[in-house]
Amino acid sequence: MNIPYPKSGWTQALSLISAIAISVVLTAYPRLIAESIHEVDHGLFTLFMWAVSAGFIHGVGFEPKASLWRIIFNPVIAWLVIIYGLIQFLWA
């Protein structure tokens, strides 16, 4: 089973830049997410961190060979989750 996986330079740059930007923002300004640990939506935050991880994996040029890993760390899915997470964090 051949799972499509984007390989062009601009998609890798998009993944890496978005992963770095989100990581820096969440590290430098944790209050952007919540005022206290009890106010964090842990499910959404975990999904968001997975998307950042997938962005780093794709952004540095690593390409999983196994179909399962290609699905789990697919950058297209990660981009959609990052967009959804940004919408939730900014307008929630």
Side-chain angles (χ1 to χ4, degrees), residues 1-36:
M1 182 171 167
N2 189 11
I3 307 298
Y5 198 83
K7 297 180 210 173
S8 66
W10 73 270
T11 59
Q12 285 181 270
L14 176 67
S15 291
L16 189 60
I17 291 168
S18 65
I20 289 171
I22 293 167
S23 296
V24 167
V25 167
L26 293 179
T27 302
Y29 304 107
R31 292 194 185 261
L32 186 65
I33 299 168
E35 288 297 316
S36 73

Side-chain angles (χ1 to χ4, degrees), residues 2-3 18 25-26 31 45 48 63-64 72 76 86 89 91:
N2 189 11
I3 307 298
S18 65
V25 167
L26 293 179
R31 292 194 185 261
F45 189 68
F48 202 45
E63 183 180 342
I72 290 174
V76 176
L86 286 174
F89 284 137
W91 288 286

Side-chain angles (χ1 to χ4, degrees), residues 31 34-40:
R31 292 194 185 261
E35 288 297 316
S36 73
I37 192 72
H38 302 292
E39 297 175 9
V40 177

Side-chain angles (χ1 to χ4, degrees), residues 28-63:
Y29 304 107
R31 292 194 185 261
L32 186 65
I33 299 168
E35 288 297 316
S36 73
I37 192 72
H38 302 292
E39 297 175 9
V40 177
D41 180 358
H42 292 304
L44 179 62
F45 189 68
T46 301
L47 188 63
F48 202 45
M49 289 292 94
W50 162 83
V52 170
S53 299
F56 274 118
I57 289 169
H58 179 251
V60 298
F62 181 76
E63 183 180 342

